[in-house]
Amino acid sequence: MRGMMMNLEIPKTPNSRKSRILVSEGKDGVNAVLTPPFSIEYESDVEDRAPNIFQRIFSLFTNVRSGSDLTRFQASLLLFRCSSGETPLDRFIAVVGWSISTTRPAVFGVAPYNPILGETHHVSRGTLNVFLEQVSHHPPVSALHATDEKEIVEMIWCQQPAPTFSGASVEVVVHGKRQLKLLNHGENYVMNSPNLLIRLFPRPGVDWVGTVSIGCEESGLEAELYYKGPSFLGFKGNQRSVKGKIFESKTLKTIYEVEGHWDRTVILKDVHNRKASTVIYNAKDVFSKLIKTPVVKDPKGLWATESAVVWGELSERILGKDWDKAREAKRAVEEKERELQRERRSNGETWVPKHFTVSYTKERGWECSPKQKWVPPAPIVAPFRDI
């Protein structure tokens, strides 16, 4: 079976969409377990939810402490619009839409993954190649580098989640800088991430909230986006809304207003012509192209540090709802990591990231610089839907 791939059907509830996991065996017995991305109807198709409310609450605290799962990154389908815009304003509008598209559904009580030090994730979608590395464990810091040589685009992200507890909720501030570089236009867009709000009582749930700022020094344009969840009690209302504006940096003059819902549609309104509006993001269109399970194109190219390899057994157990075996698989990975830490400590060694140069200052926070100019094609491929 070496180098072969097989499909394993996972039992689901009647209201859930059909799902598969792909198990691929690489060299030296390295196995990767790949699962489908969330659809926009994420509440109905989540398979790895903890079995009861108390375990869901516990898993949230584990998730907050450990950082986000590297395998949840989805390559955006909107990058080509950013690089193909004719004017700086066109490109800036496209970047705003792309930034909104990176907001992904977060689900209360999903069984946690705890990225280990040096864990990686390497995936390609079309000509876009993406590479992530867990560059710090305490505190948890993830670094991302993505390049597209066809569109001449580069992304560099460095992120550290920091939770703040306040009685009935936990707000996770995502520190770090996101950069999107349109190299053929000489433009660098700098932005931050919204915060993750976890409500524990009276109605458990997870939402993205806070302010996202986007700026491009070369074009002199900025944007501010305000993410808002439901009311304090967690009941329905203006859920998952995003509002904001695009304005000139020097004059602070507003050019466009942004309004909508990041899980549905977001429109752009011309402040000089209120009747003129344009859809800059349609979540259904984007997510409909992300429903296919990634595949291992080159099993021999899989590294032992790949997320789908590190957590392969755990993913199988969770999707099979074998919670006892899942806990054993999770403990086995974490105990191996603790043993490596003890060995480094006894030998007086300091772990250094392999793929990024990392620095930290109080003034600038965590900064990550990739060691390679272009990310090479990955052994794992995320295919588009055939439509």
Side-chain angles (χ1 to χ4, degrees):
M1 294 295 292
R2 186 174 300 276
M4 300 294 289
M5 187 176 295
M6 57 183 177
N7 295 342
L8 303 178
E9 295 295 330
I10 301 301
K12 297 197 44 106
T13 60
N15 294 330
S16 301
R17 65 182 174 87
K18 186 178 180 181
S19 175
R20 294 177 300 172
I21 62 174
L22 300 183
V23 181
S24 179
E25 184 176 355
K27 64 179 181 179
D28 301 324
V30 173
N31 296 322
V33 176
L34 303 170
T35 59
F38 286 157
S39 74
I40 198 64
E41 295 85 11
Y42 57 92
E43 285 291 354
S44 65
D45 66 4
V46 174
E47 301 171 56
D48 51 351
R49 192 191 300 276
N52 62 56
I53 188 66
F54 299 105
Q55 288 178 322
R56 293 184 194 181
I57 292 175
F58 177 76
S59 74
L60 278 172
F61 284 95
T62 307
N63 244 352
V64 169
R65 187 180 68 245
S66 306
S68 58
D69 174 18
L70 295 181
T71 64
R72 291 301 184 195
F73 175 81
Q74 293 294 337
S76 174
L77 305 179
L78 304 179
L79 283 175
F80 75 95
R81 297 181 187 175
C82 301
S83 60
S84 62
E86 294 184 0
T87 68
L89 182 56
D90 291 338
R91 293 190 291 272
F92 192 90
I93 291 171
V95 170
V96 171
W98 171 80
S99 175
I100 295 171
S101 79
T102 64
T103 307
R104 290 287 180 261
V107 185
F108 176 78
V110 170
Y113 287 70
N114 181 3
I116 63 175
L117 196 60
E119 180 179 335
T120 60
H121 184 45
H122 191 191
V123 63
S124 294
R125 183 185 294 277
T127 55
L128 179 66
N129 303 315
V130 183
F131 186 86
L132 298 94
E133 182 180 18
Q134 192 73 8
V135 296
S136 175
H137 190 69
H138 295 293
V141 181
S142 302
L144 176 148
H145 186 213
T147 57
D148 190 323
E149 294 190 56
K150 179 182 178 181
E151 302 296 336
I152 319 297
V153 169
E154 181 180 30
M155 286 182 285
I156 302 174
W157 296 2
C158 189
Q159 300 188 152
Q160 177 211 341
T164 301
F165 299 84
S166 58
S169 66
V170 180
E171 184 164 358
V172 184
V173 178
V174 184
H175 296 292
K177 182 170 62 175
R178 296 181 171 188
Q179 296 182 76
L180 173 61
K181 300 181 180 183
L182 305 183
L183 303 176
N184 54 335
H185 297 290
E187 295 173 349
N188 183 29
Y189 299 80
V190 180
M191 64 202 77
N192 63 312
S193 169
N195 299 335
L196 188 65
L197 181 64
I198 303 166
R199 298 184 315 278
L200 304 178
F201 305 101
R203 185 184 177 91
V206 184
D207 291 285
W208 294 101
V209 298
T211 302
V212 171
S213 299
I214 305 171
C216 178
E217 184 177 348
E218 291 78 13
S219 66
L221 295 171
E222 293 186 50
E224 285 189 353
L225 304 175
Y226 307 95
Y227 287 76
K228 184 179 180 181
S231 65
F232 170 75
L233 295 177
F235 297 107
K236 290 187 179 295
N238 196 21
Q239 289 183 307
R240 306 182 188 94
S241 69
V242 56
K243 292 184 178 182
K245 59 183 179 180
I246 296 174
F247 59 96
E248 296 176 349
S249 302
K250 290 184 179 180
T251 65
L252 302 182
K253 179 182 177 181
T254 298
I255 306 172
Y256 290 104
E257 292 178 347
V258 181
E259 183 176 323
H261 298 81
W262 59 262
D263 65 339
R264 281 160 273 177
T265 58
V266 179
I267 63 173
L268 199 69
K269 294 182 178 180
D270 189 332
V271 297
H272 300 294
N273 183 2
R274 294 290 178 176
K275 295 183 179 180
S277 62
T278 305
V279 175
I280 62 170
Y281 176 60
N282 186 318
K284 185 176 181 180
D285 287 349
V286 172
F287 273 78
S288 68
K289 298 178 178 66
L290 294 174
I291 65 172
K292 281 195 170 184
T293 303
V295 297
V296 179
K297 185 177 181 180
D298 177 20
K300 293 183 178 179
L302 287 172
W303 293 351
T305 57
E306 166 63 45
S307 280
V309 174
V310 173
W311 302 105
E313 183 179 354
L314 176 58
S315 294
E316 285 192 81
R317 300 303 184 183
I318 289 175
L319 293 174
K321 299 189 182 298
D322 189 342
W323 300 103
D324 290 336
K325 293 292 185 180
R327 280 189 287 269
E328 291 178 11
K330 185 172 184 290
R331 280 196 296 267
V333 173
E334 293 173 343
E335 180 53 40
K336 182 178 179 181
E337 176 64 12
R338 283 190 286 268
E339 178 61 29
L340 290 174
Q341 291 176 355
R342 287 192 290 266
E343 289 181 7
R344 286 193 295 267
R345 195 178 300 116
S346 64
N347 295 330
E349 299 176 352
T350 300
W351 185 85
V352 177
K354 295 181 180 179
H355 309 280
F356 292 85
T357 299
V358 181
S359 64
Y360 173 81
T361 62
K362 290 184 178 180
E363 296 76 19
R364 303 175 66 91
W366 288 87
E367 293 188 323
C368 305
S369 177
K371 294 182 179 180
Q372 57 186 353
K373 182 177 180 180
W374 298 100
V375 179
I380 296 176
V381 176
F384 293 102
R385 180 187 180 189
D386 298 325
I387 57 175

